[in-house]
Structure formats: C-alpha cells, structure tokens
Amino acid sequence: MKRDRRRGSAPARAAAGTLSAEIAQARPFSSLEREAAATLLRTGDVLRHAVECALRPWGVSPEQYNVLRILRGADADGLPTLEIAERMLARSPNITRLIDKMTGSGLAERRPMPGDRRVVRVVATAQGRKVLAELDEAIEGMLGKLAPFPPARLRTLVKLLDDVRGRLAIRTAREAASIPHQR
C-alpha cells in the first residue's frame, strides 16, 4: 500500500468505490440483493471501526457508549437492565456483563428498586455523564466526515436503511410477545 505523504505515515487507502473493487472481487455478485447486503455489511464494519477509534482514548466500547446515551435519555431513576438491552442499537447478549464493566469503571451504578428487590435500575454516574459529553464531541468529530453530503441525500439514506431493516428484522420472542396479535 502506498504511503500518503500529506497525512504522515498512515497508509493511503484506495478511494472508496464499488465494493467489488475495494475487496478485489474478480467476479460480479450473483445478484443485486447480494451486492447490497455485502455493501451494507462492509459499510457497517467501516462505521463500527470509525466509532471504536473515536472512543478508544477513553477505553469505552461502542456498546458502553450506547448504554451511556440511553441512560442520559432516562429519568433520574435510571432504567432496568432489560429495558436498556431492548433500547440498544446492536443486540447485546450479555448486558449484565456490560453493565458490570461500566459499574467497575465508575461510569454507571446499580440501584435497587424500592418495593421490588428483584428489579435493579442502572443510572449513569457523574463521571459517566462527564465522559459521555467528551465522547459525544469525539463522535461528532468523526461524523463530521458525513457533512459534505447534502441533507436530502442523508435523509434518503436513513429512509432506505429503515426500509431494509424493516424487511430483514427478525423479532425476538420477547419483542413478538409485546406486539398485540392482529387478525
């Protein structure tokens, strides 16, 4: 890979083009749907890597950042663990371990629910809220790379992604149970 002299020692990446060229795929995809799916997977991976790099200086994972954002939107009493899990952008099979790590690092704390010892609510600590403000700035800096796109194109992208997710989503048993049956 060539080195980009304008950016120091970081290797220059090929300009983003078609996925086939980016992954050096010689044969065309067998269908447009397969190409779309592969492009979504690759783009999601690129976005996740950019988010991880933005959060790395604080030692916070994208999942922990997501939990902090969810807790910011909750009231002062916080949220039960399962409700946090339901609101996550990406499904997290071990939300308990994720919350354990966050309480261990001082970003969140568990509080018993008065009157129901079975329910524990999670709240962001003052340190967690402070770190979240710093993380938001780092993420905004990373997302600034999308600023050249006109707002109408970004809205179209969001709508298309919503449509794809709606067609492909497979509800969990818990999600299916919470939806009233239609006849």
Side-chain angles (χ1 to χ4, degrees):
M1 225 179 221
K2 289 194 256 178
R3 298 232 179 244
D4 186 347
R5 296 180 197 281
R6 294 171 295 163
R7 296 189 181 223
S9 62
R13 299 218 34 147
T18 66
L19 179 62
S20 293
E22 193 175 322
I23 63 174
Q25 180 171 318
R27 293 185 300 163
F29 286 94
S30 62
S31 71
L32 190 54
E33 292 83 2
R34 285 183 182 265
E35 183 176 10
T39 301
L40 280 168
L41 288 170
R42 179 64 174 230
T43 303
D45 183 61
V46 168
L47 177 60
R48 180 172 179 85
H49 182 70
V51 169
E52 287 172 346
C53 288
L55 301 175
R56 188 171 294 137
W58 290 269
V60 172
S61 71
E63 293 80 14
Q64 290 171 326
Y65 175 63
N66 190 198
V67 170
L68 287 171
R69 290 181 61 249
I70 291 166
L71 293 175
R72 173 176 50 204
D75 61 24
D77 292 334
L79 293 170
T81 304
L82 286 178
E83 189 169 339
I84 294 169
E86 290 170 356
R87 294 183 183 194
M88 297 284 291
L89 292 175
R91 297 177 199 267
S92 182
N94 201 337
I95 189 71
T96 302
R97 185 177 302 150
L98 181 63
I99 301 296
D100 286 346
K101 288 178 84 172
M102 294 179 71
T103 59
S105 61
L107 297 174
E109 65 181 32
R110 288 185 173 95
R111 293 184 182 162
M113 182 73 169
D116 190 348
R117 295 182 322 174
R118 296 170 298 162
V119 178
V120 176
R121 296 178 80 84
V122 180
V123 296
T125 62
Q127 178 187 349
R129 290 187 300 275
K130 177 183 177 291
V131 168
L132 178 58
E134 295 170 7
L135 296 174
D136 283 340
E137 286 184 33
I139 294 296
E140 284 302 316
M142 182 269 302
L143 291 175
K145 294 177 181 179
L146 298 177
F149 288 107
R153 283 191 72 195
L154 288 175
R155 279 191 289 278
T156 299
L157 175 62
V158 169
K159 174 73 174 107
L160 286 169
L161 293 171
D162 284 345
D163 289 349
V164 169
R165 198 173 52 259
R167 290 180 182 271
L168 296 178
I170 299 171
R171 288 189 170 90
T172 64
R174 182 179 176 95
E175 291 166 339
S178 69
I179 298 172
H181 290 90
Q182 297 179 4
R183 291 189 172 201

